[in-house]
Coordinates of all heavy atoms in Angstrom, one line a residue:
G19 N 74.3 94.3 9.7 CA 75.6 94.8 9.4 C 76.7 93.8 9.4 O 76.7 92.8 10.2
A20 N 77.5 93.8 8.3 CA 78.5 92.7 8.1 C 79.4 92.5 9.3 O 79.7 91.4 9.8 CB 79.3 92.9 6.9
D21 N 79.9 93.6 9.9 CA 80.8 93.6 11.0 C 80.1 93.0 12.3 O 80.6 92.1 12.9 CB 81.3 95.0 11.3 CG 82.3 95.4 10.3 OD1 82.7 94.7 9.4 OD2 82.5 96.7 10.3
T22 N 78.9 93.4 12.6 CA 78.1 92.9 13.7 C 77.8 91.4 13.5 O 78.0 90.6 14.5 CB 76.9 93.7 14.0 OG1 77.1 95.1 14.0 CG2 76.2 93.3 15.1
I23 N 77.5 91.1 12.3 CA 77.1 89.6 12.1 C 78.4 88.8 12.2 O 78.4 87.7 12.7 CB 76.5 89.5 10.7 CG1 75.1 90.2 10.5 CG2 76.3 88.0 10.3 CD1 74.5 90.2 9.2
G24 N 79.5 89.4 11.7 CA 80.8 88.6 11.8 C 81.2 88.4 13.2 O 81.7 87.3 13.5
V25 N 80.9 89.3 14.1 CA 81.3 89.2 15.5 C 80.5 88.0 16.1 O 81.0 87.2 16.8 CB 81.0 90.5 16.3 CG1 81.3 90.2 17.8 CG2 82.1 91.5 15.8
A26 N 79.2 88.0 15.8 CA 78.3 86.9 16.3 C 78.7 85.6 15.8 O 78.7 84.6 16.5 CB 76.9 87.3 15.9
V27 N 79.0 85.5 14.5 CA 79.5 84.2 14.0 C 80.8 83.8 14.5 O 81.0 82.6 14.9 CB 79.6 84.4 12.4 CG1 80.4 83.2 11.8 CG2 78.3 84.6 11.7
G28 N 81.7 84.8 14.8 CA 83.0 84.4 15.4 C 82.9 83.9 16.7 O 83.8 83.1 17.1
K29 N 81.9 84.2 17.5 CA 81.7 83.7 18.9 C 81.3 82.2 18.9 O 81.6 81.6 19.9 CB 80.7 84.5 19.6 CG 81.1 85.9 20.0 CD 80.0 86.7 20.6 CE 80.5 88.1 21.1 NZ 79.4 88.9 21.7
V30 N 80.7 81.7 17.8 CA 80.3 80.4 17.8 C 81.0 79.4 16.8 O 80.9 78.2 17.0 CB 78.7 80.4 17.6 CG1 77.9 81.2 18.5 CG2 78.5 80.8 16.1
V31 N 81.6 80.0 15.8 CA 82.0 79.1 14.7 C 83.1 78.2 15.1 O 83.2 77.0 14.5 CB 82.5 80.0 13.5 CG1 83.8 80.6 13.8 CG2 82.7 79.2 12.2
D32 N 83.9 78.5 16.1 CA 85.1 77.6 16.5 C 84.7 76.9 17.8 O 85.6 76.4 18.5 CB 86.3 78.3 16.6 CG 87.0 78.4 15.2 OD1 86.7 77.6 14.3 OD2 87.9 79.3 15.0
T33 N 83.4 76.9 18.2 CA 83.1 76.2 19.5 C 83.5 74.8 19.4 O 84.0 74.2 20.4 CB 81.6 76.4 19.7 OG1 81.3 77.8 19.9 CG2 81.2 75.7 21.0
Y34 N 83.3 74.1 18.3 CA 83.6 72.8 18.1 C 84.7 72.5 17.1 O 84.9 71.5 16.6 CB 82.4 72.0 17.7 CG 81.2 72.0 18.6 CD1 80.0 72.7 18.3 CD2 81.3 71.5 19.9 CE1 79.0 72.8 19.2 CE2 80.3 71.6 20.7 CZ 79.1 72.3 20.4 OH 78.1 72.3 21.4
K35 N 85.5 73.6 16.7 CA 86.6 73.6 15.9 C 86.3 73.0 14.5 O 87.1 72.3 14.0 CB 87.7 72.8 16.5 CG 88.1 73.0 17.9 CD 88.5 74.5 18.0 CE 88.9 74.9 19.5 NZ 89.3 76.3 19.6
M36 N 85.1 73.4 14.0 CA 84.6 72.9 12.7 C 84.6 74.0 11.6 O 84.1 73.8 10.5 CB 83.2 72.3 12.8 CG 83.2 70.9 13.5 SD 84.0 69.6 12.5 CE 85.5 69.3 13.4
G37 N 85.1 75.2 12.0 CA 85.0 76.3 11.1 C 85.8 76.0 9.7 O 85.5 76.5 8.7
K38 N 86.9 75.1 9.9 CA 87.6 74.9 8.6 C 86.8 74.1 7.6 O 87.2 74.0 6.4 CB 88.9 74.0 9.0 CG 88.5 72.6 9.8 CD 89.7 71.9 10.1 CE 89.2 70.6 10.9 NZ 90.4 69.8 11.3
H39 N 85.8 73.5 8.0 CA 84.9 72.6 7.0 C 83.7 73.4 6.5 O 82.8 72.9 5.9 CB 84.5 71.5 7.8 CG 85.5 70.5 8.0 ND1 86.5 70.1 7.2 CD2 85.8 69.6 9.1 CE1 87.3 69.2 7.6 NE2 86.9 69.0 8.8
L40 N 83.6 74.8 6.8 CA 82.4 75.6 6.4 C 82.9 76.7 5.6 O 83.8 77.4 5.9 CB 81.6 76.0 7.7 CG 81.1 74.9 8.6 CD1 80.5 75.5 9.8 CD2 80.1 74.1 7.9
D41 N 82.0 77.1 4.5 CA 82.1 78.3 3.8 C 81.1 79.2 4.4 O 79.8 78.9 4.4 CB 81.8 78.0 2.4 CG 83.1 77.6 1.6 OD1 84.2 78.1 1.9 OD2 83.0 76.8 0.7
I42 N 81.5 80.4 4.8 CA 80.5 81.3 5.5 C 80.6 82.6 4.7 O 81.7 83.2 4.6 CB 80.9 81.5 6.9 CG1 80.9 80.2 7.7 CG2 80.0 82.6 7.6 CD1 81.3 80.3 9.1
T43 N 79.5 83.0 4.2 CA 79.3 84.3 3.4 C 78.5 85.3 4.2 O 77.3 85.0 4.6 CB 78.8 84.1 2.1 OG1 79.5 83.1 1.4 CG2 78.7 85.3 1.2
I44 N 79.0 86.4 4.4 CA 78.3 87.4 5.2 C 78.2 88.8 4.4 O 79.1 89.3 3.8 CB 79.1 87.7 6.6 CG1 79.3 86.5 7.4 CG2 78.4 88.8 7.4 CD1 80.2 86.7 8.6
T45 N 77.0 89.3 4.5 CA 76.7 90.7 3.9 C 76.0 91.4 5.0 O 75.8 90.9 6.2 CB 75.9 90.6 2.6 OG1 74.5 90.2 3.1 CG2 76.4 89.7 1.6
D46 N 75.7 92.7 4.7 CA 75.0 93.5 5.8 C 73.7 93.0 6.1 O 73.1 93.2 7.2 CB 74.9 94.9 5.2 CG 76.2 95.7 5.2 OD1 77.1 95.3 6.0 OD2 76.3 96.7 4.4
T47 N 73.1 92.1 5.2 CA 71.7 91.7 5.5 C 71.5 90.2 5.4 O 70.4 89.7 5.5 CB 70.7 92.3 4.6 OG1 71.0 92.1 3.2 CG2 70.7 93.9 4.8
S48 N 72.6 89.5 5.2 CA 72.5 88.0 5.0 C 73.7 87.2 5.6 O 74.8 87.7 5.8 CB 72.3 87.7 3.5 OG 73.6 88.0 2.8
L49 N 73.4 86.0 5.9 CA 74.3 85.0 6.3 C 74.1 83.7 5.7 O 73.0 83.2 5.8 CB 74.3 84.9 7.9 CG 75.2 83.8 8.5 CD1 76.7 84.0 8.2 CD2 75.0 83.7 10.0

C-alpha cells in the first residue's frame, strides 16, 4: 500500500537529512 509504505519511508528518510538528494518512487507494491 502506497500510504503505508510512505509512512515507513518517512520515518527513516530524514534520519540523516539526506532526503533532498534522493528520488523516491512509491506504488502500492514497489519502492
